[in-house]
Amino acid sequence: MNETLKLEQHRPTADEIKRAPKVALHDHLDGGLRPQTVLDLAAEAGYRDLPEQDPAKLGAWFRDAADSGSLPRYLETFDHTVAVMQTEAALFRIAAETVEDLAADGVVYAETRYAPEQHLRGGLTLDAVVEAVNAGCREGELRAMAAGRPIQVGTLVTAMRQNTEPGHSLAIAKLAVRHRDAGVAGFDIAGPEFGFSPDLHAEAFKYLREEFFRFTIHAGEADGPTSIASAILNGADRLGHGVRIIEDIDFGDGSGEPVLGRIAAYARDKRITLEVCPSSNLQTGVAAKMADHPIAQLYALDFNVTVSCDNRLMSGTSMSREFDLLVEAFDWDLADLELLTLNGIDGGFLPHDLRDALADQIITGYIDLRGEEG
């Protein structure tokens, strides 16, 4: 952006950021529970292993555990949330509240992802899990509409990549496709990236391509360009995180133009969406502080960058907070936030006509905010 123009545009306020339309593509259902809901559901289920019984203290515990730098402690946070997500009623409530919370933060389109295989301890079937989450999302949309905060939400059915049992991820892919007309927008693989290449699930991705069903793959967070290359070659429409694609770019001594490697150039030229989750990335060691996060370099190089929260509970964050942190770190303005949001809706797994309608809504929202600046 022209520097003179940049100087003329003021930094958006916290209130403007809160009211700005947003798109969240990378939001884990088991990472976004309200602390009070965790307590309520634990009491109902007889789960007694929570580290705190006060909602404020429990929320702080989740954030501190995620910030600890200890992988076992970080993973323990999900042990607690998944433990209370084992009934249809619990899944329905959590999904509905997720949608309400996102809408209250100005999100107009979101995709929430979860692994049905993690919610079978209470005797639910895979299909029952998906049906409960979809029903909860529809309820959340109705509540948000009634509150004057309309939102559209799709779900991403996830397979855990460390489960390499023959046919497992294919079965989860078929589960996703079975419910494609009832709220499931796409498929994903999650879990430990390093050592569990997307190639291990090639059969599932082949099936999804044959069904013309869209999918994203976690790649480029805990592993580098090789993992990203595998995700792309398996047909991923988007990359979950994807930030370590920066390792395939040669910045030299900074005096010349960066040189993109083959993988980075392909991802940029194909407009493969990067689902960047800034605060979460700091917790997992992608950068030491926000000012060093590669999102600014990738954005400047015109990668199809989007912003999401990953796990709102564990990171103690929201879409508004993520935008606020980026504005503070990189002096971004409303025009930058608008482009990131439009990138998000462009990468969303929803029909073209709905994408266009939401894009118009987003543009109008930002026009209105800039009009208030004047």
Side-chain angles (χ1 to χ4, degrees):
M1 177 178 289
N2 180 279
E3 289 303 315
T4 302
L5 178 61
K6 191 82 169 176
L7 290 172
E8 292 175 355
Q9 295 183 342
H10 80 279
R11 177 178 291 182
T13 65
D15 178 65
E16 288 170 334
I17 291 173
K18 182 70 176 290
R19 290 187 289 124
K22 306 171 193 71
V23 171
L25 298 181
H26 195 118
D27 191 271
H28 286 269
L29 191 67
D30 58 347
L33 283 70
R34 298 172 183 174
Q36 185 61 60
T37 297
V38 178
L39 289 167
D40 292 347
L41 295 177
E44 291 175 12
Y47 180 72
R48 297 181 176 83
D49 292 337
L50 292 180
E52 299 285 351
Q53 292 300 316
D54 174 81
K57 291 180 179 178
L58 182 61
W61 181 87
F62 275 106
R63 292 190 296 275
D64 291 345
D67 281 336
S68 68
S70 164
L71 181 59
R73 194 163 182 227
Y74 181 81
L75 294 177
E76 181 189 348
T77 63
F78 292 95
D79 290 342
H80 296 306
T81 57
V82 171
V84 302
M85 299 173 69
Q86 300 299 326
T87 67
E88 290 178 334
L91 291 166
F92 179 92
R93 173 177 174 174
I94 291 163
E97 290 179 351
T98 289
V99 176
E100 284 186 291
D101 292 346
L102 291 169
D105 192 39
V107 176
V108 297
Y109 177 74
E111 293 171 6
T112 185
R113 63 186 72 192
Y114 64 99
E117 64 199 81
Q118 295 187 312
H119 307 288
L120 307 179
R121 301 174 196 169
L124 293 177
T125 65
L126 290 170
D127 288 282
V129 171
V130 174
E131 289 163 3
V133 173
N134 284 342
C137 287
R138 302 293 78 75
E139 173 65 20
E141 289 174 339
L142 290 174
R143 295 178 192 173
M145 178 66 76
R149 284 287 195 177
I151 183 175
Q152 296 181 47
V153 177
T155 59
L156 301 181
V157 166
T158 298
M160 301 307 293
R161 66 200 303 158
Q162 67 269 36
N163 187 340
T164 56
E165 180 182 344
H168 170 71
S169 54
L170 176 61
I172 302 300
K174 290 181 176 180
L175 172 71
V177 170
R178 276 202 302 278
H179 295 272
R180 69 188 305 170
D181 297 320
V184 175
F187 175 83
D188 176 36
I189 58 169
E193 180 184 359
F194 187 77
F196 295 95
S197 167
D199 291 339
L200 297 171
H201 307 281
E203 185 181 23
F205 299 130
K206 179 177 182 292
Y207 167 78
L208 293 166
R209 293 193 304 271
E210 291 171 347
E211 291 293 327
F212 303 102
F213 194 64
R214 301 180 72 180
F215 57 94
T216 179
I217 296 177
H218 275 72
E221 182 194 29
D223 203 355
T226 300
S227 176
I228 292 171
S230 175
I232 293 172
L233 291 172
N234 275 290
D237 298 285
R238 304 193 318 234
L239 299 174
H241 300 288
V243 289
R244 286 184 60 181
I245 203 166
I246 200 79
E247 297 171 15
D248 194 43
I249 303 172
D250 183 2
F251 289 91
D253 61 6
S255 61
E257 289 293 319
V259 178
L260 274 63
R262 297 295 187 191
I263 300 167
Y266 185 87
R268 184 180 71 170
D269 295 346
K270 286 278 287 185
R271 312 308 297 152
I272 294 174
T273 300
L274 306 183
E275 304 164 358
V276 182
C277 305
S279 290
S280 176
N281 293 158
L282 298 190
Q283 291 174 310
T284 56
V286 167
K289 60 182 184 296
M290 194 62 72
D292 296 333
H293 194 288
I295 188 172
Q297 292 169 300
L298 295 170
Y299 177 69
L301 290 170
D302 200 28
F303 281 82
N304 203 31
V305 173
T306 67
V307 173
S308 293
C309 294
D310 201 8
N311 299 291
R312 285 172 288 112
L313 174 61
M314 285 69 176
S315 295
T317 197
S318 66
M319 285 295 297
S320 291
R321 179 176 178 271
E322 295 300 297
F323 274 2
D324 189 62
L325 291 171
L326 295 171
V327 165
E328 178 69 27
F330 305 117
D331 198 28
W332 284 351
D333 56 30
L334 284 175
D336 298 307
L337 303 186
E338 180 181 16
L339 181 54
L340 291 166
T341 304
L342 289 172
N343 286 349
I345 203 62
D346 185 58
F349 293 166
L350 73 171
H352 176 74
D353 55 339
L354 296 180
R355 276 208 310 273
D356 275 0
L358 283 168
D360 289 343
Q361 179 182 338
I362 290 163
I363 291 167
T364 299
Y366 277 92
I367 288 173
D368 291 344
L369 287 172
R370 280 193 288 270
E372 294 175 14
E373 290 180 2

